[in-house]
Amino acid sequence: MCFTGNFALSMMLEPAMLAPVLSQPSLPMGKAAGMHIAPDELAAVKKRMDAEDLTVLAYRFEGDAFCKGERFAAYQQALGDRFQGRVLPDSAAKKGTKMKMPTAS
């Protein structure tokens, strides 16, 4: 989750990974539309997803300051229909955490 949320997509380079789920992918910090994956790796992931009819699920909270809508838009543009992004309402976040923004942990 959060800082490790991007790693599931990179793990798609390993044939054993069949169902990646990105939870609040926050890296790279400071680049709202950035994706923490090399362009050639992203192309390889997309090629595999197309060839094997796979999809990636991704979740973020509406008010997440680290994983913004721009990031999900970038994933959608890169992966097309293979990317299934879901935006959760802030009210679904765990209550009573030390984080000031919505979080699942």
Side-chain angles (χ1 to χ4, degrees):
M1 292 178 38
C2 301
F3 298 113
T4 61
N6 306 70
F7 298 143
L9 190 61
S10 294
M11 289 172 54
M12 283 298 294
L13 297 172
E14 168 57 45
M17 174 63 102
L18 298 176
V21 178
L22 284 61
S23 181
Q24 302 165 271
S26 300
L27 297 176
M29 300 292 281
K31 294 179 80 175
M35 293 182 286
H36 195 66
I37 187 170
D40 60 326
E41 291 178 353
L42 182 60
V45 167
K46 173 74 163 95
K47 183 177 178 180
R48 178 176 177 218
M49 293 175 81
D50 288 340
E52 297 179 34
D53 194 26
L54 302 173
T55 58
V56 59
L57 297 177
Y59 296 91
R60 63 176 287 275
F61 286 104
E62 186 175 34
D64 192 327
F66 297 130
C67 180
K68 298 182 178 188
E70 293 91 342
R71 179 151 302 135
F72 270 31
Y75 280 121
Q76 185 74 55
Q77 182 174 357
L79 299 173
D81 291 340
R82 302 287 172 198
F83 178 77
Q84 301 295 315
R86 304 285 188 264
V87 179
L88 304 172
D90 293 347
S91 61
K94 183 176 179 180
K95 306 294 186 238
T97 67
K98 294 180 182 181
M99 295 291 292
K100 298 294 183 205
M101 73 178 116
T103 183
S105 55

